[in-house]
Structure formats: structure tokens, C-alpha cells
Amino acid sequence: MLPPITQVSGRAVHVPGNDIDTDRIIPARFMKCVTFEGLGEYAFYDVRFEQDGTPKPHPVNAPERAGASILISGMNFGCGSSREHAPQALYRHGFRAVVAGSFAEIFFGNCTTLAMPCVTLAEADLAKLAAAVDADPSLEVTVDVQAKEVRYGKMVLSADIPDTAHAALVNGRWDPIGELLEGASNVDQTASRLPYLTNA
Amino acid sequence: MGKSLFEKVWEAHAVRRLSNGQTQLLIGTHLIHEVTSPQAFGMLRDLGLTVKFPHRTFATVDHIVPTDQRQEPFSDPLADGMIKELRRNAQEFGITYFDLASGRQGIVHVVGPEQGITQPGTTIACGDSHTATHGAFGAIAFGIGTTQVRDVLATQTMALSKLKVRRIEVSGSLRPGVYAKDVILHIIKKLGANGGIGYAYEYGGDVFDKMSMEERMTVCNMSIEGGARCGYVNPDEKTYAYLKGRPYSPKDTAWDEAVERWKGFASDPDCTYDDHVVFRAEDIAPSVTWGISPDQGAFIDENIPTFVGLDAAATASLKEALEYMKLAPGTPVKGIPVDVCFIGSCTNGRLSDFREVAAHIRGTKVAPGVKAIAVPGSQIVDQLCRNEGIDQVFTDAGWEWREAGCSMCLAMNPDKLIGDQLCASSSNRNFKGRQGSPTGRTILMSPVMVAAAAIEGKVADAREVFDLALV
Ligand code: SF4
């Protein structure tokens, strides 16, 4: 079994905005690679750096946010391209959980298989959390996957995560490959009933 | 009670229930390309696994290939490394690979249908979000991440939660000068870029019934821009006619059996949907986007929205979009100056797209100072266009006619915007920096609208430029 992911705690960074797409999380030109190694430094690259490489004022660049492990954003986070380079870049940058208003599906699934939980908060709670994080870079935030909560200071916010992802994370089944391989004989049975798979 | 195509295909391919409640779903056809597969093969090797059904796995190269000069090694060593890696992986694991020399290379979503690999009632996965394109044939086709590419390579299955189904009907007849692209841009504008989360979109009704297979592909292609994981049209006689005689289509007696089977997958008339939306074709006009999300769009005779009456969140997103696009609120979309025009991509890079444009641009010229490139979606599209002299029509009108690939849709090859150039594009995404320059700007539209913009040097109404209303 893989290590269960029940909760993630750490300092947070808030990247405001809705519909932040995977092109923004990792611009396509950094995908010319045959491994995911080293992608962390390119997370949000074009909004973090000028074309000549000088840093722009971006929350992820703020020195007091260095080492933050929880990313907070808005609605429809991770929309667009299915590139796993996006969650890989975030993970390798040091993020271990994402809190948003909603997530695009492919991105959400990609994060779950990386053991990086994505949880959603109601709009008002998300705004509260974002304001608290913006105000205090040293604030410790806990994303409690098991209890479906996000906590900071004395605040306890009720968070949401689909049951399937919840089960996968807390049971240490977030990478499905083992279980998929176990089903090999069932796969062959299903395949044998489908002419387009067997006729070739 | 009847079932939808989605349910029938899902049931036929469901292997078993997994411990987290997801379904282990059999993926009948796996398409791969050079950008999202190398890491998956790496994981496979690390785990000591192999490809379970190499005969159901098909590869091509599209994102990084140059479209001007294709002599290898490519001028970009990273791109060159990627094509070599794909070749190595295809060879080592015995996977069919449509390489540059095959005459069948192209954008994976153009190649699948063209080769007859895409078939009704099947499941398809590809490490690419526009895999929904294949739904035009009544396939359930998912865009997946690289770890899932590994899963499909190793097990021919993936872990998935069942989607809900929303039927989207467009009734009536489209007005002259209104194309499939305008239909899908309208749907996305109305339902939102995240309106489809959790859904498969079933497109049905008069307009989709009348559409050609290539038009249906244009619509299904952009399901993901509406947030839907997949989209499909029920198979019909047009679907079978398109597939007949293609290299991977069933042959002889197997053909008749296949057609019978395919018919059975169509949604039953009495099936129920989780949601149902109806649009009127007559309400749709040529459409363009003006922002940085595909749902930020307008009809060609409309204005960019104003801030009046918007809440804080909507104000912020409009402000962000207009600042990036360097456009003013309340101004007409018609007349926005363009620098570059691009016709191509898996949305609108097929024979019928180029044929339709060619029918209108004879005797015209690209406006001075505008760079216009036409990039066929596959080598076969290129060849078919050449057979009809379409490439010549484009070049005579001042366009560059390129070789097959994704090109300026995402600019992983040398075709890129420079600085804050604005591109009238037949592709599918207008995200910040999408076309290769971090400040480059994209306005999405149909190929014929791109052609009109090329001639006028600004966003224009193709109906006026080409007298389409009179057709
Ligand atoms: S044409 Fe564009 S959207 Fe289509 S597969 Fe290529 S890069 Fe992706």
C-alpha cells in the first residue's frame, strides 16, 4: 500500500483568479522534455517572470511565501490542456495540496494520482481563507482530507472532495496502477466480448 | 427504459468496481503523441511493465514538428529529442507509429478518424484534452494525464468515475455564413467554460443531424472548452459512409456486422438525460472571442461587454481579460486589428475547412502587414488539398501553406506569435500565452472568419466580406 494522505499542513500562498488554465500553470514551451524532472521552477512561469527572466510581483515569488505547501485559487482551477506537466510542476515546486472553488476534471484526477489532494470550499469560505492567508504569510493552514475540513487559527471550514478521491487518498490507493493490474483477468474477459479488440 | 449511448458504451467497457468506488474502464483504443507519452513509457520501464495491447495503441507526432522545414535533425534539439524518443518507444513496444515519412502523420485527432481507427461504440483515450473530437463518431473519448497514459499502456484500462450526460440540442437551420465553430462557441458562451464539469455532452437535433462528420468533429473537439470531459454525436448513415473503406475500418462481412453493432449503440429515443438544453439555430451568428477564456465571446455584430452591473468577481475577470487583450469595454469586436491569421488545428484543420475557405478567397489578397498561415491537420489533408489545388488558391491569395502539425495552436514548434501580436485563429484556446508569446493575443473564430480577417486586416464579418448572406 502507498502512504495514506490524510492531511497536509503548512503555510499557504493565494494565487487569485478564476479559470487559471494549465497553459498558465506551465507554458507549453517547457513541455519539451521527456521527464518531469526540473519542472518545479517553471510553475506559473510567464506570470512570475518577465521574458528576460526578471521576477515579476507574483504571490508565488514573494520571499515570505517561500516554502509554502498549500496553494489557494479560485473557480475552475486547472482548466484547459490535460498536461500532467501542470500538477507535476506544482508538486515539484513544493505544493502538496490545492484549495479552490472548483477544479477542472482532468487536472483534478492528475493531482489525485500524484497524492496532491484538491479540495473545494464554498465561495464565502474560500474568500475568508484567502483573506487570512493574504494577511499573514506565516499562517499555518491544514487541509484535513480525512475530515473534509480546512483549518487555520481557530477557523474550521467544511471542505469538499469527491468520495472516490477521498477514499483513494486516505486509503493509500491514490495511484491506481496496482489495483488496475490486479484486474487483468477481468480485463481480458471484458475485452473478449468486444469484437473490435479481438478482430485485429 | 432506454439508455444513452454514453451508458451503453460505459457498460460494455466496465471491467469492475474499484475499492474507491471508481470503475475500471476498458479503453479499446489508445492514441499517443510525443508530448505526453515519454514520461509514461519511463514509468512503465521503472515498474518493469509492458504494453498490454500494442495492437490497440497508435502513435503519431504532431505538437513539436516544424511545419516549414522538416529535415532532421530539427533545429530545436529538444523537439528532435522528443521525436526520437517516440520512435524508440513505438519500436520497443511494437506500437503502430505514423511517422513523418509515412504520409499519414498529422494531429492525432485528425489521424484517428482518417485512418478509420475511431469507431462508434468504442472507448478511446489519449494524453490530450481534445480527445473528445472522436466523439463525433459516437465513441466515448477521454483526454487523460500522463500517469493515466501509463495505466492504459500497462493495463488497457483506467480508473474513472461515471459522468452525467447533458443533451445539447440545436434545432432549426443555421443561417448562411454560420459554421460549426460558431455553434460550439455559442454553446460554450452560454453554458460557460466550466458548465460541463462532471458531464459528457451529447449533441443532437437538426443542426448536428445535418452536419458533415468533419463539422461534428469541430463541435465535439471543443467540448473540453465547455468543461465537459467528452462530447459525442450519435452515429448515423453519415458516420458509416465516412468510415467505409478506411485503412482500419472493418472489411467485407465484418463491415456489415460492425455497422449493425454500431447502430445498437445510438441513444434510445426514450432514454433520459441528467440535463437537457435546447438552442435555436436561427439565434446563432458568426462568433468570436474577445477575452482569455473560450466562453468570453460575442457575435460579430456585438460589442465587448462593459462593467455595468457586474459583481466584484465578474469585474475582476473582465478587467483581467481586457487588460491582457488590450481592448476597451463596450467597443465593437468588429474592426479589432489583427497581425497574424492562422487556419489549422484539430478543431478546424480538415479538408472541408480549407475547401470552404478556398471557395471564397480566390482573387483576394491578405492585407499588407498581416502574416497568414494555413496548416493542414495531417499529411493526408495536405495531399487532398493539393489534389484539388487548394494550396495554390491559398498561396495565390498571400497565405503560407505549411506542412501538417499542431503549429500555432500551441506553438511548441517554431510557429509562434511575437510580442503582443494579435492572432485571428481557427484553433480552440485563447488562453494567455497560448500561441507562444507570453503577451500574444488570440481571437478564436471559424476558418472563414479568419480568412475575412486576413483580407481586411481586422476582425470582420465574413458574411459581408464574402457576400455569404446572399449564398
Ligand atoms: S491542434 Fe492544438 S488542441 Fe489540437 S492536439 Fe494540437 S495542440 Fe492540442
Side-chain angles (χ1 to χ4, degrees):
Chain A
M1 200 174 76
L2 303 160
I5 307 294
T6 53
Q7 64 170 53
V8 177
S9 294
R11 287 177 300 110
V13 56
H14 173 215
V15 175
N18 296 329
D19 301 314
I20 291 185
D21 56 78
T22 51
D23 276 77
R24 198 136 14 128
I25 298 172
I26 182 90
R29 62 184 185 282
F30 300 117
M31 303 200 305
K32 280 189 227 154
C33 52
V34 293
T35 77
F36 289 129
E37 272 159 46
L39 283 183
E41 57 185 294
Y42 303 121
F44 296 112
Y45 193 87
D46 287 341
V47 279
R48 280 174 60 209
F49 298 96
E50 301 289 352
Q51 267 151 298
D52 65 6
T54 43
K56 299 190 206 179
H58 185 275
V60 174
N61 286 344
E64 66 277 16
R65 302 283 170 185
S69 59
I70 294 169
L71 177 65
I72 298 163
S73 194
M75 301 297 292
N76 202 23
F77 188 75
C79 61
S81 157
S82 59
R83 59 186 71 159
E84 190 166 313
H85 305 67
Q88 288 278 359
L90 296 178
Y91 191 89
R92 285 161 197 268
H93 186 84
F95 294 113
R96 290 295 177 269
V98 190
V99 183
S102 62
F103 292 94
E105 272 171 46
I106 301 178
F107 176 84
F108 178 90
N110 286 341
C111 289
T112 308
T113 19
L114 285 184
M116 182 165 64
C118 292
V119 304
T120 57
L121 290 179
E123 209 180 323
D125 285 347
L126 186 62
K128 248 188 267 175
L129 170 69
V133 166
D134 286 342
D136 179 5
S138 68
L139 186 72
E140 276 282 316
V141 177
T142 295
V143 175
D144 190 331
V145 181
Q146 177 104 49
K148 299 192 184 179
E149 285 170 2
V150 173
R151 296 188 296 268
Y152 60 93
K154 294 206 170 78
M155 290 297 296
V156 179
L157 306 173
S158 145
D160 213 4
I161 179 167
D163 292 340
T164 47
H166 183 264
L169 289 163
V170 302
N171 297 330
R173 286 267 192 182
W174 35 269
D175 184 340
I177 187 75
E179 207 177 347
L180 293 177
L181 286 166
E182 285 162 21
S185 61
N186 308 58
V187 175
D188 293 335
Q189 263 169 31
T190 309
S192 70
R193 292 194 294 268
L194 293 163
Y196 77 103
L197 285 169
T198 45
N199 279 353
Chain B
M1 192 168 49
K3 287 181 180 155
S4 67
L5 177 138
F6 178 83
E7 280 179 279
K8 294 183 198 182
V9 175
W10 184 274
E11 283 171 14
H13 293 79
V15 172
R16 59 182 194 142
R17 200 181 141 88
L18 297 170
S19 64
N20 67 355
Q22 287 188 302
T23 299
Q24 181 168 10
L25 192 75
L26 181 65
I27 299 301
T29 304
H30 190 192
L31 306 172
I32 61 178
H33 64 69
E34 76 282 15
V35 180
T36 55
S37 70
Q39 297 85 350
F41 283 108
M43 298 178 202
L44 214 60
R45 288 193 184 94
D46 288 348
L47 294 167
L49 297 169
T50 187
V51 178
K52 184 165 169 76
F53 284 178
H55 68 289
R56 296 304 311 164
T57 312
F58 302 89
T60 190
V61 57
D62 49 11
H63 287 64
I64 54 99
V65 288
T67 59
D68 42 7
Q69 152 342 81
R70 312 238 260 192
Q71 212 64 4
E72 289 183 57
F74 298 152
S75 57
D76 177 349
L78 296 172
D80 200 63
M82 290 175 85
I83 193 171
K84 293 206 166 66
E85 184 76 7
L86 183 61
R87 257 179 215 141
R88 168 170 95 109
N89 288 329
Q91 193 175 14
E92 181 176 331
F93 293 101
I95 293 166
T96 305
Y97 170 43
F98 303 112
D99 204 346
L100 294 178
S102 69
R104 302 200 272 178
Q105 170 266 339
I107 305 172
V108 63
H109 311 307
V110 177
V111 170
E114 198 168 70
Q115 293 299 318
I117 293 167
T118 302
Q119 294 175 11
T122 62
T123 51
I124 300 176
C126 176
D128 193 282
S129 53
H130 290 96
T131 308
T133 312
H134 307 267
F137 292 80
I140 297 302
F142 299 99
I144 58 179
T146 294
T147 306
Q148 284 176 311
V149 173
R150 172 206 66 183
D151 295 347
V152 179
L153 289 173
T155 72
Q156 205 65 27
T157 65
M158 59 187 203
L160 215 61
S161 301
K162 197 171 174 187
L163 299 169
K164 292 180 283 183
V165 183
R166 171 179 291 147
R167 174 151 168 113
I168 299 179
E169 252 174 74
V170 183
S171 61
S173 297
L174 294 174
R175 291 182 289 160
V178 178
Y179 295 94
K181 183 64 159 286
D182 301 307
V183 174
I184 186 63
L185 284 172
H186 183 67
I187 292 171
I188 295 166
K189 178 177 68 183
K190 288 292 179 192
L191 300 180
N194 58 5
I197 292 180
Y199 283 99
Y201 278 177
E202 174 177 306
Y203 302 100
D206 309 335
V207 164
F208 302 111
D209 289 347
K210 275 180 246 170
M211 278 185 183
S212 70
M213 291 313 295
E214 298 198 350
E215 292 172 306
R216 291 177 189 177
M217 285 188 247
T218 298
V219 171
C220 290
N221 174 272
M222 289 191 71
S223 302
I224 188 81
E225 272 65 50
R229 188 79 187 265
C230 57
Y232 65 89
V233 177
N234 282 301
D236 62 8
E237 292 305 323
K238 274 186 213 167
T239 319
Y240 316 137
Y242 178 102
L243 288 173
K244 186 137 198 184
R246 304 244 164 206
Y248 287 86
S249 294
K251 310 235 156 16
D252 310 320
T253 53
W255 169 259
D256 297 326
E257 290 165 23
V259 171
E260 272 321 297
R261 220 171 34 245
W262 293 343
K263 285 182 179 163
F265 278 104
S267 294
D268 297 322
D270 62 341
C271 75
T272 55
Y273 297 96
D274 301 287
D275 192 29
H276 196 155
V277 187
V278 182
F279 296 101
R280 275 168 27 109
E282 291 75 14
D283 294 340
I284 306 175
S287 299
V288 299
T289 58
W290 45 261
I292 51 170
S293 170
D295 58 354
Q296 292 173 319
F299 293 142
I300 185 64
D301 47 9
E302 292 182 327
N303 293 343
I304 294 168
T306 65
F307 290 94
V308 179
L310 299 186
D311 64 19
T315 303
S317 80
L318 179 59
K319 188 159 169 279
E320 183 188 7
L322 295 185
E323 269 171 15
Y324 183 84
M325 292 299 290
K326 303 193 165 95
L327 297 173
T331 55
V333 290
K334 195 154 79 176
I336 299 172
V338 305
D339 306 299
V340 177
C341 290
F342 169 62
I343 298 181
S345 86
C346 57
T347 316
N348 282 121
R350 297 182 176 80
L351 175 61
S352 59
D353 297 307
F354 295 107
R355 208 186 243 165
E356 179 70 17
V357 172
H360 300 298
I361 62 167
R362 261 173 232 275
T364 68
K365 276 282 178 240
V366 170
V370 171
K371 178 187 172 81
I373 65 170
V375 186
S378 70
Q379 291 181 321
I380 289 180
V381 171
D382 183 28
Q383 193 52 53
L384 294 172
C385 286
R386 286 176 190 278
N387 295 348
E388 295 185 17
I390 290 173
D391 59 321
Q392 196 58 47
V393 175
F394 273 83
T395 45
D396 287 349
W399 290 72
E400 291 175 38
W401 186 265
R402 296 294 190 82
E403 297 206 60
C406 295
S407 178
M408 208 179 265
C409 176
L410 96 166
M412 275 188 79
N413 74 343
D415 308 333
K416 293 180 196 324
L417 296 183
I418 301 163
D420 68 354
Q421 278 184 329
L422 189 141
C423 180
S425 181
S426 75
S427 57
N428 45 46
R429 284 187 176 145
N430 53 346
F431 299 152
K432 287 182 178 178
R434 170 73 178 183
Q435 293 186 289
S437 162
T439 50
R441 299 171 291 161
T442 304
I443 294 191
L444 303 175
M445 58 185 82
S446 73
V448 171
M449 286 282 284
V450 174
I455 294 164
E456 298 288 310
K458 56 193 182 196
V459 175
D461 189 339
R463 295 172 303 187
E464 294 164 8
V465 177
F466 301 123
D467 275 343
L468 296 179
L470 308 176
V471 174

